[in-house]
């Protein structure tokens, strides 16, 4: 039978309900066509993010109860630290309340204005944290990673040519570190191959520049390596993780993804001086070095989550569920980035709504229509999130891809609910020609997609009457 089997049964449920289309229209207007501002009670299936939205296991809930709340050197930190060292293998483990805090502190102690940080593709918080220090966030994804239509096993790979060009153009002294995001969230949740990690690692070592992973979805990436890369079929997930992490000198991590927790993060580093500088800042901003902005019980839940995420049965189900959603969308003729990613399906809004120019945010239009029609919340990963000024010319540059991400929370929704999502996307395709573009009425100076307000271009309805 062609089904991704759930390696668990359900012990607790949470009621959700559908509200009427009229009510949803009210909500989206009040939210300025920004789905981040819609109350979660007004959403039926919420695929805004896979971050912090997963269901914890019975053992994680038990860990919460036994969390040690000592201010310093708690048992829960000891468990957290030893579990992370066992999987990741780095010398220093610095807890933070979530991933972006780890990024913010790492970049504060390592970057200066005018520095450059190459990555396959920077996630939005990573880009923003790099830019906040006055440095340049540079994407060096291999070309196939920017083409939604091309199939490939490792479309998260970095281009060694682009990386070398960056060193040529800016000089090694302006590049204090190189990052690699596994899996590559902003490029479709696509994995990076071990071979590519090894090449990037060798390149960086030759230049004397540290390589740091953005490891949010490291276990999903390891599963793809096991399934798709020559020589890894018989290797366990944990061994693959150890091999990956040995290629870098540290990582930033949001435990809200592959930590299977609702909050938490950490920064791992081999370098003593960087770790000391970050720890000084940690005490100032997040808390004592053995809790870093988290409760002892949160540390305990993350440690247990990290042990569970390495289970091959879990990963086969998890990534299989996302692939199954892709298969349904395919059957219904909804265009999406190929192949499906580890945590999400990314709809191709340029293909879906070819009549809406990128300056009028077609992916945001699709996202709003999906909510209005069916109460499903996805998120725009396109020009609203990633428009930026060219550092040389100052002109607005739209991102290459215009996507609607349907991120699947871990262990939360059933196959039936995801079938409903696929059907809802087909509904938006059906009314596609009646959809009109959006324009911005207000935006903040950074990370605008979270709080931006929009309206249909020229006023009136976003969905013209059929
Ligand atoms: N890096 C990547 C690749 C991410 O996907 C995220 C978060 C972060 C860093 C920051 O971690 O949220 O714990 O501060 N991604 C979420 C998402 C928000 O919806 O993809 P955080």
């Amino acid at each position: 039978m062609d089904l991704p089997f759930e390696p668990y049964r359900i012990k607790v449920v949470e009621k959700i309900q559908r509200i009427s289309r009229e009510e949803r229209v009210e909500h989206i207007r009040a939210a300025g066509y920004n789905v981040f501002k819609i109350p979660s009670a007004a959403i039926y299936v919420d695929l805004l993010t896979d971050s912090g939205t997963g269901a914890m296991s019975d053992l994680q809930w038990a860990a919460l109860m036994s969390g040690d709340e000592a201010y310093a050197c708690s048992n829960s930190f000891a468990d957290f630290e030893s579990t992370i060292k066992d999987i990741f293998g780095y010398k220093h483990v610095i807890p933070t309340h979530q991933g972006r805090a780890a990024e913010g502190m790492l970049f504060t102690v390592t970057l200066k204005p005018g520095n450059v940080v190459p990555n396959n593709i920077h996630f939005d918080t990573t880009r923003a944290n790099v830019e906040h220090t006055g440095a340049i966030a540079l994407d060096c994804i291999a070309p196939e990673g920017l083409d939604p239509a091309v199939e490939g096993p490792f479309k998260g790979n970095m281009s060694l040519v682009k990386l070398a060009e960056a060193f040529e153009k800016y000089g090694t002294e302006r590049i204090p570190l190189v990052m690699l995001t596994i899996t590559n969230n902003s490029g479709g949740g696509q994995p990076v191959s071990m071979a590519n990690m090894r090449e990037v690692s060798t390149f960086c070592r030759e230049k004397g520049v540290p390589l740091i992973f953005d490891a949010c979805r490291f276990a999903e990436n390891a599963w793809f390596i096991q399934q798709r890369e020559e020589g890894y079929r018989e290797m366990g997930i944990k061994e693959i993780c150890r091999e990956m992490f040995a290629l870098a000198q540290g990582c930033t991590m949001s435990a809200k993804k592959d930590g299977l927790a609702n909050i938490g993060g950490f920064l791992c580093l081999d370098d003593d001086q960087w770790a000391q500088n970050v720890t000084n800042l940690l005490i100032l901003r997040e808390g004592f070095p053995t809790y870093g902005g988290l409760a002892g019980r949160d540390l305990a839940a993350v440690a247990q989550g990290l042990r569970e995420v390495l289970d091959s049965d879990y990963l086969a189900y998890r990534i299989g569920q996302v692939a199954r959603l892709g298969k349904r969308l395919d059957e219904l003729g909804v265009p999406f980035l190929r192949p499906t990613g580890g945590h999400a399906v990314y709809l191709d809004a340029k293909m879906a709504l070819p009549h809406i120019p990128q300056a009028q945010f077609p992916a945001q239009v699709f996202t709003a229509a999906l909510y209005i029609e069916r109460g499903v919340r996805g998120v725009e990963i396109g020009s609203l999130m990633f428009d930026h000024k060219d550092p040389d010319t100052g002109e607005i540059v739209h991102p290459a891809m215009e996507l609607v991400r349907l991120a699947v929370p871990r262990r939360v929704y059933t196959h039936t609910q995801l079938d409903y999502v696929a059907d809802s996307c087909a509904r938006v395709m059906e009314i596609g020609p009646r959809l009109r573009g959006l324009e911005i009425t207000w935006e903040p100076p950074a990370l605008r997609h979270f709080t931006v307000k929009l309206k249909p271009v020229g006023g009136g309805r976003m969905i013209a009457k059929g």
Side-chain angles (χ1 to χ4, degrees):
M1 208 196 287
D2 182 24
L3 271 181
F5 286 99
E6 296 86 348
Y8 54 76
R9 59 187 168 202
I10 296 166
K11 208 189 274 268
V12 176
V13 294
E14 177 186 357
K15 184 170 165 54
I16 50 174
Q17 60 190 28
R18 282 187 288 172
I19 60 171
S20 70
R21 188 179 184 283
E22 291 70 44
E23 287 172 287
R24 292 196 294 265
V25 169
E26 286 307 309
H27 278 297
I28 198 93
R29 284 199 183 131
Y33 294 83
N34 179 348
V35 294
F36 280 98
K37 297 225 192 111
I38 294 174
S40 82
I43 289 158
Y44 180 52
V45 180
D46 197 353
L47 306 185
L48 180 72
T49 178
D50 64 320
S51 178
T53 53
M56 290 205 295
S57 70
D58 50 355
L59 294 183
Q60 284 180 290
W61 283 101
L64 286 186
M65 278 309 296
S66 56
D68 175 1
E69 303 305 337
Y71 188 94
C73 303
S74 67
N75 293 334
S76 299
F77 179 72
D79 184 25
F80 178 86
E81 187 183 39
S82 65
T83 305
I84 292 167
K85 282 192 173 169
D86 185 37
I87 301 167
F88 293 73
Y90 298 116
K91 193 168 168 198
H92 301 280
V93 175
I94 300 161
T96 61
H97 77 274
Q98 62 183 87
R100 70 198 68 180
E103 294 165 1
M105 286 188 294
L106 174 66
F107 300 149
T108 303
V109 307
T110 56
L111 301 184
K112 290 200 298 282
N115 281 171
V116 179
V117 181
N119 200 332
N120 41 2
I121 301 185
H122 287 274
F123 182 64
D124 59 352
T125 60
T126 323
R127 170 174 286 281
N129 271 299
V130 167
E131 290 175 351
H132 189 67
T133 68
I136 298 167
L138 191 71
D139 294 339
C140 296
I141 183 81
E144 64 168 12
L146 292 174
D147 183 345
V150 63
E151 288 276 353
F154 292 105
K155 287 175 70 181
N157 283 356
M158 186 179 259
S159 158
L160 268 292
V161 174
K162 287 187 191 170
L163 184 61
E165 278 169 8
F167 275 79
E168 188 90 351
K169 179 170 174 190
Y170 297 104
T172 308
E173 58 295 342
R174 283 179 67 186
I175 306 182
L177 57 101
V178 171
M179 292 198 71
L180 206 47
T181 305
I182 55 173
T183 57
N184 184 30
N185 187 8
S186 305
Q190 303 293 317
V192 177
S193 70
M194 191 74 87
N196 187 249
M197 292 178 193
R198 207 173 290 123
E199 278 181 327
V200 173
S201 171
T202 305
F203 179 93
C204 290
R205 197 164 348 101
E206 280 165 10
K207 295 284 179 196
V209 171
L211 172 64
I212 304 289
F213 284 120
D214 177 339
C216 295
R217 299 176 181 84
F218 72 96
E220 292 171 5
N221 201 103
W223 190 86
F224 281 120
I225 288 175
Q226 188 192 56
Q227 299 298 310
R228 296 181 181 172
E229 193 161 352
E230 189 70 33
Y232 290 93
R233 204 54 212 246
E234 302 306 320
M235 199 185 270
I237 296 295
K238 189 166 153 192
E239 287 64 42
I240 295 174
C241 291
R242 293 292 303 226
E243 190 173 325
M244 290 183 336
F245 291 125
L247 294 169
Q249 287 69 49
C251 70
T252 57
M253 172 73 189
S254 167
K256 301 170 75 173
K257 286 85 169 171
D258 275 355
L260 300 181
N262 300 124
I263 194 73
F266 51 90
L267 173 64
C268 290
L269 290 171
D270 277 339
D271 187 89
D272 295 335
Q273 192 57 55
W274 278 12
Q276 186 58 59
N277 294 348
V278 168
T279 303
N280 297 344
L281 197 59
L282 184 83
I283 295 174
L284 197 66
R285 291 201 183 152
E286 295 267 303
F288 191 74
T290 63
Y291 74 83
L294 294 168
R297 66 180 75 95
D298 297 326
L299 298 167
V302 170
Q304 178 57 28
L306 287 170
R307 290 189 285 268
E308 290 175 15
V309 80
L310 303 176
D311 175 12
S312 296
D313 286 345
Y314 157 74
L315 288 167
Y317 147 75
R318 156 77 178 150
I319 294 169
Q321 193 184 38
V322 174
R324 184 175 178 277
L325 172 58
K327 201 165 152 226
R328 289 277 159 162
L329 289 167
D330 227 6
E331 286 159 9
L332 295 166
V334 181
F336 60 89
L337 187 150
R338 312 217 156 228
T340 50
H343 66 295
V345 177
Y346 294 65
L347 307 180
D348 185 344
K350 273 191 193 169
M351 287 271 284
L353 305 176
H355 62 293
I356 301 180
Q358 227 179 335
Q360 294 181 12
F361 311 112
Q364 184 67 12
V365 172
F366 196 107
T367 306
L370 188 59
Y371 174 71
I372 293 172
E373 289 301 307
R374 293 294 179 82
V376 174
R377 176 159 68 171
V379 72
E380 192 255 20
I381 302 216
S383 37
L384 199 57
M385 187 181 276
F386 280 124
D387 271 358
H388 62 279
K389 284 209 176 105
D390 184 299
D392 298 326
T393 66
E395 274 172 36
I396 297 279
V397 186
H398 297 308
M401 296 190 283
E402 193 65 29
L403 307 169
V404 178
R405 186 185 71 172
L406 305 174
V408 181
R410 294 168 180 79
R411 309 189 288 206
V412 170
Y413 290 116
T414 63
H415 296 330
T416 316
Q417 284 162 326
L418 294 185
D419 285 352
Y420 171 87
V421 169
D423 189 71
S424 305
C425 294
R427 166 73 190 154
V428 175
M429 293 295 292
E430 215 175 279
I431 61 165
R434 286 162 44 206
L435 298 180
R436 297 171 48 218
L438 290 167
E439 62 190 7
I440 292 176
T441 60
W442 178 85
E443 65 180 300
L447 292 170
R448 69 177 178 188
H449 52 287
F450 289 124
T451 54
V452 68
K453 291 183 189 154
L454 304 128
K455 70 173 177 55
V457 173
R461 292 165 180 269
M462 193 193 78
I463 306 177
K465 282 208 164 129

